[in-house]
Amino acid sequence: MNYKAVIDAGYNSFRLSLYSIFPNLSFRLTASLKDYVRLGLGVSEGKPIPEENVKRAEITLRKFKEFLDRKGIKEVKILGTSAFRYASNGTEVSNRLSSIIGFPITVLSGEEEGRYSALAVINTLPIEDGIIFDLGGGSLEIAYVSQRKIRDIYQFPLGALRMMDKDPEEIKKEVRIALASLPSSKGMLVGSGGNLRAIAKMDLKLEEEQLNQIHGYSVSYERIAKYAKILPSTSVSERSQLPGIDKERALTIHSAAIVIKELMEIMGKDRVMTSAFGLREGILMDSEIEDVDKLREFWLEGVSYNFNVEPFVDSYREALKETKDVAVSTAFYLLQLMKASNFLDPYVACYQVFREMTIPGYTADEINVITTLCALAKKFKKKYYNKVRKLMDKDSILVKAKKVRELHEAYELGVRKW
């Protein structure tokens, strides 16, 4: 197996991600280690990173090195972000930490950090136009996207850890002043970063959504505004009891909610979509995948490799040409994949497996419909339809499910039988 390791040495946390790289250069996360190092805690522009912060980073990187050595990983990319950029001793600390891990730390500029984060989002979600932001512990990067190309990137010192001890009104004021000159843009607002993902997880549970998928999951402005109002008024202990919020994330989730709310108001967006992919995945990619159809084919190939099945995306193309329906064509492809993987009941397997597995290239609503089509293609059951009744009427989804079954029965391993 071809592995690549990426370490994100962030302002708030350090994370090691190990990826399996497939023949078409898609990938999946194989292992992950994380420590809340808080390297940037107490750091402001031109001030040094405190020694106690550096020592915490050294402990974490020794742990990471032991893991990498045991796995025999020889290719490691280490990304230093805003703490290194802001600090007067950033270069000195990066050299010191590089000597411990045994690989050089590449300190990214704000523009580079924003580009890699946006690249990961574009290449894992069906986006044409919009605004992509990455909210970290020390900074906020904002990228403008048009026709699936990254156009302009902006960076601001508005990270959730930097803002966590400030009064909510002060945070609002800082964000408003910093972002006041940003241009508006058509399209969706999409974000990455641990705090937004935590908010999405919390929202999924509190709103009792039918699908446990945060990738491509949208949160309304009304709910973000509610969280931005409630979270700052609760204690860290109370926040850590909320679903999806652990003890460490509870320290910054309140300030992050305020920043996101203000950003949504400034940009005039009524929803924010969450990406499960960001900076670490972006560094594995070369450029934007040019169109959404190719994006989906790329990741369907990756899902096939994940199950040790040679991809047969030609059949997906044939189905899409015939039906003009992405959901039907994808459900058919995944059913064929489950059959090729020797699941006894591919219909049930498709439903159960892919509701628990992130498939890049699709929104959460799309995955909800696709997996439900897999189940309904076998037999109509109300418990399955109830998962998507907000998205599609019964008659429409039954027509689609029937077509999925017809396609599945007409093919064997992606080859048409008649």
Side-chain angles (χ1 to χ4, degrees), residues 12-42:
N12 189 21
S13 64
F14 280 23
R15 185 191 288 268
L16 186 161
S17 297
L18 183 65
Y19 300 93
S20 299
I21 309 298
F22 298 128
N24 72 334
L25 301 184
S26 63
F27 51 83
R28 71 175 176 88
L29 181 65
T30 300
S32 180
L33 299 175
K34 180 179 180 179
D35 271 351
Y36 284 93
V37 172
R38 308 208 191 283
L39 184 69
L41 191 63

Side-chain angles (χ1 to χ4, degrees), residues 202-210 217 223 226-227 390:
M202 177 178 66
D203 191 71
L204 276 167
K205 298 295 184 182
L206 294 178
E207 296 297 319
E208 297 182 343
E209 291 291 338
Q210 301 291 341
Y217 175 72
R223 299 206 293 265
K226 179 175 72 174
Y227 301 143
K390 293 180 181 178

Side-chain angles (χ1 to χ4, degrees), residues 191-259:
S192 64
N195 281 294
L196 177 59
R197 287 192 281 270
I199 289 172
K201 289 176 185 176
M202 177 178 66
D203 191 71
L204 276 167
K205 298 295 184 182
L206 294 178
E207 296 297 319
E208 297 182 343
E209 291 291 338
Q210 301 291 341
L211 184 70
N212 191 28
Q213 287 269 5
I214 63 164
H215 186 61
Y217 175 72
S218 292
V219 186
S220 70
Y221 169 78
E222 288 75 19
R223 299 206 293 265
I224 291 291
K226 179 175 72 174
Y227 301 143
K229 181 178 180 180
I230 293 173
L231 291 174
S233 65
T234 59
S235 67
V236 173
S237 176
E238 289 170 329
R239 292 197 290 266
S240 67
Q241 301 302 310
L242 293 169
I245 312 297
D246 60 28
K247 181 181 177 181
E248 298 292 345
R249 188 61 66 192
L251 291 171
T252 57
I253 194 76
H254 63 297
S255 52
I258 296 172
V259 173

Side-chain angles (χ1 to χ4, degrees), residues 39 49-50 54 57 84 87 89-98 105:
L39 184 69
I49 299 171
V54 180
F84 297 95
N89 61 344
T91 301
E92 174 192 330
V93 171
S94 68
N95 291 337
R96 179 173 160 184
L97 296 179
S98 295
I105 296 176

Side-chain angles (χ1 to χ4, degrees), residues 311-326:
F312 36 84
V313 293
D314 283 349
S315 62
Y316 169 78
R317 293 190 198 112
E318 291 169 6
L320 188 58
K321 184 178 180 180
E322 178 182 340
T323 66
K324 306 291 191 296
D325 192 312
V326 168

Side-chain angles (χ1 to χ4, degrees), residues 272-338:
V272 58
M273 183 175 286
T274 308
S275 171
F277 299 86
L279 175 62
R280 293 181 300 281
E281 291 77 25
I283 203 75
L284 300 175
M285 302 171 177
D286 293 326
S287 60
E288 301 94 329
I289 297 174
E290 59 189 59
D291 65 55
V292 171
D293 285 339
K294 290 188 177 181
L295 170 73
R296 285 169 166 151
E297 289 180 12
F298 177 77
W299 288 111
L300 288 176
E301 285 185 335
V303 174
S304 295
Y305 287 124
N306 189 50
F307 285 89
N308 294 313
V309 173
E310 190 67 24
F312 36 84
V313 293
D314 283 349
S315 62
Y316 169 78
R317 293 190 198 112
E318 291 169 6
L320 188 58
K321 184 178 180 180
E322 178 182 340
T323 66
K324 306 291 191 296
D325 192 312
V326 168
V328 168
S329 304
T330 304
F332 149 68
Y333 185 90
L334 296 179
L335 277 172
Q336 289 278 292
L337 179 57
M338 292 293 90

